[in-house]
Amino acid sequence: RQIGNVASDLNTAMEDIQVRGLQSLNDGLTDAIVNAKSLGDVFKNVANQIIGDLIRVAIQQTIVNSLAGA
């Protein structure tokens, strides 16, 4: 049962990553327009945020799977 809850939590985390990624992209594009920032920097920052979030989820999933197997 707990593993099912964790799986649900991971799905929620993935959805949150998608939402945060889109929000960051929107904020970055707005910042680029208003403050004349580079679009390359905006996309790099958004990509780094998404990658960081995915790594956190992968680590959490690995820990949970290890504990479930024990």
Side-chain angles (χ1 to χ4, degrees):
R1 184 183 308 205
Q2 290 176 345
I3 293 172
N5 290 340
V6 171
S8 175
D9 291 345
L10 289 174
N11 286 335
T12 300
M14 293 300 284
E15 291 172 2
D16 290 344
I17 290 170
Q18 293 171 350
V19 169
R20 282 195 308 268
L22 289 173
Q23 287 172 337
S24 292
L25 180 59
N26 185 38
D27 292 343
L29 291 174
T30 301
D31 195 34
I33 293 168
V34 172
N35 298 316
K37 289 197 174 186
S38 162
L39 287 179
D41 289 340
V42 169
F43 290 120
K44 181 180 175 183
N45 291 338
V46 170
N48 285 337
Q49 177 192 339
I50 292 171
I51 290 168
D53 287 343
L54 291 172
I55 289 170
R56 279 188 280 285
V57 168
I59 290 169
Q60 180 182 10
Q61 186 176 20
T62 300
I63 291 169
V64 168
N65 288 340
S66 296
L67 293 174

